[in-house]
Amino acid sequence: MLDRSTVIGLLFGFTLILVAIVTQGNLLVFASLSSLLIVVGGIVAATMVNYSLKNIKNSFTTISSLMGVKSVDLRTDMELMSMFARRVRSEGLLVLEGDIEHIKDPYLRNGLQFAVDGFKQESLASILQNEIQSRKRQVEISIKVLQSMSNYAPAFGMIGTIIGMVLMLQNVSDPESLGSGLSVALLTTLYGTIFSNMLFGPLAGKLDYLSKLDLNRKEMFRVGIMSMMEKENPRIMEKKMLIYINPKDRAEYIKHHEELTIKRQRDQKLYSQWIEQQNNEWETLKKVLEPG
Amino acid sequence: MLDRSTVIGLLFGFTLILVAIVTQGNLLVFASLSSLLIVVGGIVAATMVNYSLKNIKNSFTTISSLMGVKSVDLRTDMELMSMFARRVRSEGLLVLEGDIEHIKDPYLRNGLQFAVDGFKQESLASILQNEIQSRKRQVEISIKVLQSMSNYAPAFGMIGTIIGMVLMLQNVSDPESLGSGLSVALLTTLYGTIFSNMLFGPLAGKLDYLSKLDLNRKEMFRVGIMSMMEKENPRIMEKKMLIYINPKDRAEYIKHHEELTIKRQRDQKLYSQWIEQQNNEWETLKKVLEPG
Amino acid sequence: MLDRSTVIGLLFGFTLILVAIVTQGNLLVFASLSSLLIVVGGIVAATMVNYSLKNIKNSFTTISSLMGVKSVDLRTDMELMSMFARRVRSEGLLVLEGDIEHIKDPYLRNGLQFAVDGFKQESLASILQNEIQSRKRQVEISIKVLQSMSNYAPAFGMIGTIIGMVLMLQNVSDPESLGSGLSVALLTTLYGTIFSNMLFGPLAGKLDYLSKLDLNRKEMFRVGIMSMMEKENPRIMEKKMLIYINPKDRAEYIKHHEELTIKRQRDQKLYSQWIEQQNNEWETLKKVLEPG
Amino acid sequence: MLDRSTVIGLLFGFTLILVAIVTQGNLLVFASLSSLLIVVGGIVAATMVNYSLKNIKNSFTTISSLMGVKSVDLRTDMELMSMFARRVRSEGLLVLEGDIEHIKDPYLRNGLQFAVDGFKQESLASILQNEIQSRKRQVEISIKVLQSMSNYAPAFGMIGTIIGMVLMLQNVSDPESLGSGLSVALLTTLYGTIFSNMLFGPLAGKLDYLSKLDLNRKEMFRVGIMSMMEKENPRIMEKKMLIYINPKDRAEYIKHHEELTIKRQRDQKLYSQWIEQQNNEWETLKKVLEPG
Amino acid sequence: MLDRSTVIGLLFGFTLILVAIVTQGNLLVFASLSSLLIVVGGIVAATMVNYSLKNIKNSFTTISSLMGVKSVDLRTDMELMSMFARRVRSEGLLVLEGDIEHIKDPYLRNGLQFAVDGFKQESLASILQNEIQSRKRQVEISIKVLQSMSNYAPAFGMIGTIIGMVLMLQNVSDPESLGSGLSVALLTTLYGTIFSNMLFGPLAGKLDYLSKLDLNRKEMFRVGIMSMMEKENPRIMEKKMLIYINPKDRAEYIKHHEELTIKRQRDQKLYSQWIEQQNNEWETLKKVLEPG
């Protein structure tokens, strides 16, 4: 499941190129199955030598698995974590035992499970850190696979063009065929450049970007879990975690919570005034009712 | 709001290219809406696949929000911080409570608020450090967006040119149309090169530069806040902070303060001489007036 | 012994290029011994100046020696290590003395031998770390050799092409020979580009990839050995080591072991029920048999 | 004030290019004010967008201010520092109070001033370290300015050439004008390449090189000052500082000092022999003079 | 003194290019003193601006001084160090006083001298570390000089070619002269590409490679010296040092020493058996001889 921006970008880019061709000439001139085979085949072959077919497949599944990350609002995670922190503070870590299985994110779930299992603070810190490192290494391979596909694309485009030029130059006598020969030869370069700059390059960049968002979220969870284990004040944990949220969302979150506090205080005040009044009225009533 | 140097540079660069064209030939030859659409559309499409439209927008807002950083004179911050430090030294951290809301810079304001809120020195150190890291990561994405736009620009210029060349080579019979065909095909390369080297590349560089200035200022605040918390001598804090100011401004700042000190000492001396004289005169007067 | 993906990729890539040539023209046009000699000779000569023939040979032996790494399932290593850890926990480190010689991986064998030999924890930690660093440095040289071959390939392709063009341009009078001259001149560029992008480049990438897998496995062993020395709970060691396994295999491993545990608990339960029943029956029997 | 090597290199390089042109053709063919304006104007415009005019100016003043660094012989600094260290060892840090104002290098002067002012060892260590970091950051901006000028130069050369080619291809009918048109179009590429490789690139490299020498010297001072504060033996300080001197100068310095020591010991020996002889003679004299 | 691989590689490479030219055409066509002057002169001029003539000279002397490193067998150093370690263990550090002057390697000699001079462990550790850093920085400058020569070479090749093309395009009327003009113009590109890829590039790579070997050996000495100072068991020192030896040599070294140990044990056993037998015979003899 690709995200909207990627889908729209791909559609927009390829449409643009098609329109540019159709408005200026015949689309059939640009369609060449053999050119496509050289470029795509070359990219796949070189990437298979470099990695393996499985790695290529993995890169694409990694992208789709990370697509969800983008739409996650870290403030929801914040609210969940502060609720946990408040419960842990008052009732101890074991209170989370029942909640853990309902947590969706596997990193947070495992981290809290380890905490509940009684891991030493030091070991847990290193496990959580290493898990992030391990995840990073896994994704970096996928990014490199896409980057190498982006690098091989124009190279095989060039190989196809040189093959075409060598053949064309063999029969230089007919100038007209020479032109159309070069024209066909250039198609592989065109395909290679488009694949590199419209497909593999941007997808490699996307994976890098999504992976950074994902690791940022995991870092936020890590800081939160460690703070819970140290039994820190939930408000301190909140401030430590807020750093991983982008400035704009952070400002909104803080403002919203301040307003909540103010409203709660006002409610509290109204309630206590009301209580007081009630009491007063009761006092009045009592006096009235009091016998003599 | 762009800074003057950027605006002048952009105006100057584009004027230069226009003048170069007009003085040598017809400007209309270089105007091609379809070429512009391929290059700009391709850049936007590839960047949307790589990031998203929101990221592109963010990059430009980040540039304008950072433009203010350049005109800030760090010495003003220095004066403010040493005033705070002197007050904290004599009256304790809580004396800042009232001042905090008047501080404009959010990093300094939050940092001091945390200090007043009674955060442990260690936690505050890591929060201030992380905040800088977080800010750095945010801006780095914007820089990368602009850099990738700068990289995609010549690529789509080349794609446009190859499409044009393939079409031109199809009808090689008419040599004159061949020339003008290549001429049009080269326009996308021209546009791509100009966009990359006159717009996106330099803007990416600017963002990188401004972000470094901004982080430098935040580092200075961090050092200052930590020094206040440790109740260090304000003069030591000053010397620690001066390191973040560029050598020329630093020299001027130090000289100015030395002169201030000298002048103050001279005033003090004059005042005490005057007092002494007054006293002497009083003594003289007293003697005169004293009843025999 | 190359791995399947590399062999298939190489065969596929070169077949593709051959087919592309044969379907469009004469294969003989593309066969040029002298072009091959310039490109291959140049690559070897430059790499000999840069490193030495021995280094070139080493790079290829390193690739084949690392090919085995890919097919290793780290979960097998996990099982072995947890078996060791359980034995060490109950009977002490020396219990491994007899097992060590049966371990195939030299890193694990040496590491455990050092542990049994009574090295201090601190020294062993630094030896195991350094061994990984040393291995990394060794492989990095081989990677660089292949990368430099990949870089020199197109350069010598270009040198050959320029030599051909200079010769061709000397007798410009005959336009037909000019075409075929350029055609021959382009062959070295074609060879150089193919060698770089279909052979040396992907092989350098493969070596880098395999070396990362290998170092990851060594890191896993290192963490396991250190955990044994600290007499940590085998379950904690397992969780520390699981981080080096890729997420999918890890999930399967954990699930399998959970099922094992459940099954074992069920067996235990059945057995204890059966025992209880037996006892009951025995009690019944005893009662029956008891002499009134 | 540029250093000799830079001046000679620039003169030699530009003379070489001029001679190459004059011996083969007419110099006027290569002189084109409009080409120069596009390239230089483009470089300045893009660098202004990226940084600012002030930054460009700063880069050139930084180069000239660092030129002096090259001619400094670090052994002179060594002698000064060991003299200070010997005085500090026997009479305490405050003995330097009077000497400090005569020290030319501001880093050393400030460092020693801080030491005399009674800064804590730990604070001084971090101040000296940060000062080096701060200096490094300042110079890196100047290096980047020159590097970006070196990168923009060929880009604007290419922009000029494409503009020329587009214009030339418009009137393809006249083959002779076509040649001279392309000839003029190539001039901007020539200018851009020369500016990049003969001016901005090498100057950026020079600044990087000089800055490394400068930071190395500051590191040497830092090590020396910290050693003085710890009241280490001046000979140990000397050995710590010698590491920052290049091997050849270091060997000479050590040899010279060993010879000095040997000579001093020989003088001492001669003197003590002479003293002894004197005493002997005195003894003889005394005996002679002694009243029987 | 260059090493064999470098000399053979250079001879092989240049012979190859000559043969390629001679078999296809006239060598004189490719000989152009003016082209050579532009390329070589340009490289030297730009490198002089960037560094200085002295730095260029230094780079070549550094290469020849490091050539010896390659032929050093680190196992010889190992044997020497373990001999030292055994003597130090039994008789103390001062026992090395007499041996130090016979050590050839200056790093090891100085290091041990410092140890004997009674430096504190901590200071010596930092001196040995810094010495390696300092050496690294020195060599890195030489590597960069060669790399920048490798980068400037094709640039000046291109400058020469553009100058030639501009001149050629001025008199486009004569098509034959046009061909030979372009042919001459291409020579500078050919020279530049050959110099970059056959000379400066590979030599820069060689220097990098040799410097890594050299630093590896120094690291090995450092670890050994520190181990001696800590009076560690010579066998532990050996194991720590073995990490710096490449896996193949290491395996051989270990095997050889194990065989030595086995042989020594066998000799010991034979000797003790013989002694025992002697004793037995003596006992027998004694019994025989004993007076009843």
Side-chain angles (χ1 to χ4, degrees), chain B residues 259-278:
Chain B
E259 280 168 3
L260 268 186
T261 314
I262 290 165
K263 211 173 149 197
R264 213 180 295 141
Q265 286 172 344
R266 204 171 44 210
D267 286 1
Q268 197 92 39
K269 212 172 158 186
L270 280 173
Y271 178 76
S272 58
Q273 281 178 352
W274 178 75
I275 291 281
E276 208 179 327
Q277 214 174 15
Q278 298 293 93

Side-chain angles (χ1 to χ4, degrees), chain D residues 14-61:
Chain D
F14 281 103
T15 308
L16 197 84
I17 292 167
L18 286 183
V19 168
I21 289 170
V22 171
T23 54
Q24 291 175 58
N26 191 346
L27 188 59
L28 284 178
V29 171
F30 289 86
S32 159
L33 191 65
S34 62
S35 301
L36 195 68
L37 282 179
I38 281 199
V39 176
V40 174
I43 296 170
V44 172
T47 312
M48 274 179 77
V49 178
N50 199 331
Y51 298 95
S52 70
L53 265 186
K54 205 181 139 199
N55 285 119
I56 301 179
K57 220 191 69 195
N58 269 354
S59 302
F60 288 96
T61 52

Side-chain angles (χ1 to χ4, degrees), chain C residues 34 37-39 41-42 44-53 55 114 117 119-120 123 126-128 130-131 134-135 137-138 141 144 151-152 155-156 158-159 162-167 169-170 172-173, chain E residues 5-6 8-10 12-13 16-17 20-21 24-26 29-30 70 175-176 179-180 182-183 186-187 189-190 193-194 197-198 201-203 205-206 208-209 212 216 236 239-240 243-247 250:
Chain C
S34 62
L37 283 179
I38 281 198
V39 176
V44 172
T47 313
M48 274 179 78
V49 178
N50 199 331
Y51 298 95
S52 71
L53 264 186
N55 285 118
F114 288 163
D117 286 1
F119 269 54
K120 276 184 296 179
S123 328
S126 91
I127 287 180
L128 291 177
N130 285 344
E131 174 75 35
S134 151
R135 180 77 196 159
R137 259 175 296 163
Q138 295 286 343
I141 289 177
K144 275 191 182 169
N151 292 335
Y152 290 132
F156 283 95
M158 192 184 154
I159 288 174
I162 297 176
I163 291 177
M165 281 173 76
V166 168
L167 287 169
L169 288 165
Q170 285 299 314
V172 96
S173 53
Chain E
S5 169
T6 303
I8 295 175
L10 286 174
F12 178 40
L16 197 84
I17 293 167
I21 288 170
Q24 290 176 58
N26 191 346
V29 171
F30 290 86
K70 223 185 113 183
E176 202 148 325
S180 75
L182 185 57
S183 159
L186 280 173
L187 285 185
T189 295
L190 181 63
T193 317
I194 291 175
N197 291 288
M198 197 64 236
L203 283 180
K206 187 79 169 198
D208 188 32
Y209 174 64
K212 289 231 167 69
N216 181 50
I236 289 186
K239 280 184 174 165
K240 279 185 174 176
I243 281 155
Y244 295 96
I245 297 182
N246 72 58
R250 198 195 307 168

Side-chain angles (χ1 to χ4, degrees), chain C residues 12-45:
Chain C
F12 177 40
F14 282 103
T15 308
L16 196 83
I17 292 166
L18 286 182
V19 168
I21 289 169
V22 171
T23 54
Q24 290 176 57
N26 191 346
L27 187 60
L28 285 177
V29 171
F30 290 86
S32 159
L33 191 65
S34 62
S35 301
L36 195 69
L37 283 179
I38 281 198
V39 176
V40 175
I43 296 169
V44 172

Side-chain angles (χ1 to χ4, degrees), chain E residues 166-230:
Chain E
V166 168
L167 286 169
M168 175 198 82
L169 289 164
Q170 286 298 314
N171 37 338
V172 96
S173 53
D174 180 10
E176 202 148 325
S177 80
L178 198 143
S180 75
L182 185 57
S183 159
V184 171
L186 280 173
L187 285 185
T188 52
T189 295
L190 181 63
Y191 287 4
T193 317
I194 291 175
F195 279 131
S196 175
N197 291 288
M198 197 64 236
L199 199 64
F200 300 124
L203 283 180
K206 187 79 169 198
L207 196 48
D208 188 32
Y209 174 64
L210 292 175
S211 146
K212 289 231 167 69
L213 288 185
D214 184 47
L215 294 175
N216 181 50
R217 193 180 170 215
K218 285 186 170 42
E219 286 282 350
M220 190 184 84
F221 284 144
R222 185 178 64 79
V223 164
I225 296 170
M226 291 319 294
S227 177
M228 272 187 219
M229 277 202 87
E230 293 176 33

Side-chain angles (χ1 to χ4, degrees), chain D:
Chain D
M1 189 196 69
L2 289 167
D3 79 332
R4 247 184 31 185
S5 170
T6 303
V7 173
I8 295 176
L10 286 174
L11 284 179
F12 177 39
F14 281 103
T15 308
L16 197 84
I17 292 167
L18 286 183
V19 168
I21 289 170
V22 171
T23 54
Q24 291 175 58
N26 191 346
L27 188 59
L28 284 178
V29 171
F30 289 86
S32 159
L33 191 65
S34 62
S35 301
L36 195 68
L37 282 179
I38 281 199
V39 176
V40 174
I43 296 170
V44 172
T47 312
M48 274 179 77
V49 178
N50 199 331
Y51 298 95
S52 70
L53 265 186
K54 205 181 139 199
N55 285 119
I56 301 179
K57 220 191 69 195
N58 269 354
S59 302
F60 288 96
T61 52
T62 311
I63 286 197
S64 34
S65 78
L66 278 177
M67 281 302 174
V69 170
K70 224 184 114 185
S71 53
V72 168
D73 194 329
L74 295 182
R75 290 174 292 185
T76 330
D77 299 323
M78 282 286 309
E79 298 286 4
L80 186 75
M81 292 292 283
S82 28
M83 191 195 70
F84 284 165
R86 279 192 298 271
R87 293 188 59 194
V88 164
R89 204 148 201 235
S90 52
E91 301 170 59
L93 264 167
L94 293 177
V95 80
L96 295 180
E97 189 108 59
D99 306 335
I100 288 172
E101 57 183 307
H102 304 299
I103 298 173
K104 271 188 203 150
D105 186 81
Y107 181 78
L108 180 57
R109 188 171 58 230
N110 290 335
L112 288 176
Q113 185 67 58
F114 288 165
V116 168
D117 285 1
F119 269 53
K120 275 186 297 178
Q121 204 166 301
E122 211 179 316
S123 327
L124 185 53
S126 93
I127 287 179
L128 291 177
Q129 198 95 52
N130 285 345
E131 174 74 35
I132 289 178
Q133 290 304 315
S134 152
R135 180 78 196 156
K136 204 174 165 185
R137 258 175 298 161
Q138 296 286 343
V139 176
E140 266 167 10
I141 290 177
S142 293
I143 296 174
K144 275 191 181 168
V145 167
L146 285 169
Q147 277 174 342
S148 71
M149 293 180 93
S150 172
N151 292 335
Y152 290 131
F156 283 94
M158 193 182 153
I159 288 174
T161 297
I162 298 176
I163 291 177
M165 282 172 77
V166 168
L167 286 169
M168 173 198 83
L169 288 164
Q170 286 298 313
N171 38 337
V172 96
S173 53
D174 179 10
E176 202 148 325
S177 80
L178 198 142
S180 74
L182 186 58
S183 160
V184 171
L186 280 173
L187 285 185
T188 52
T189 295
L190 181 63
Y191 287 4
T193 317
I194 291 175
F195 280 132
S196 175
N197 290 289
M198 197 63 236
L199 199 63
F200 300 124
L203 283 180
K206 187 80 169 198
L207 196 48
D208 188 32
Y209 173 65
L210 291 175
S211 146
K212 290 230 167 69
L213 288 185
D214 184 47
L215 294 175
N216 181 49
R217 192 179 171 218
K218 285 185 169 45
E219 285 282 349
M220 191 184 83
F221 283 144
R222 186 179 63 79
V223 164
I225 297 169
M226 291 319 295
S227 178
M228 272 186 220
M229 277 203 87
E230 293 176 33
K231 303 259 155 70
E232 284 186 341
N233 187 326
R235 279 176 55 88
I236 288 186
M237 184 196 81
E238 216 172 26
K239 281 184 174 164
K240 278 185 175 176
M241 286 175 71
L242 272 172
I243 281 155
Y244 295 95
I245 297 182
N246 73 57
K248 214 177 125 199
D249 287 2
R250 198 195 307 168
E252 258 178 49
Y253 179 90
I254 292 170
K255 209 182 147 199
H256 175 68
H257 274 257
E258 274 173 1
E259 281 167 2
L260 267 186
T261 315
I262 291 166
K263 212 174 148 196
R264 212 179 295 142
Q265 286 172 343
R266 203 171 45 209
D267 287 0
Q268 198 92 38
K269 212 171 159 187
L270 281 173
Y271 179 76
S272 58
Q273 281 177 351
W274 177 76
I275 292 283
E276 207 179 327
Q277 215 175 16
Q278 297 294 92
N279 288 345
N280 284 347
E281 280 168 4
W282 174 245
E283 292 301 314
T284 328
L285 237 92
K286 229 173 22 177
K287 277 177 190 154
V288 171
L289 294 172
E290 244 170 16

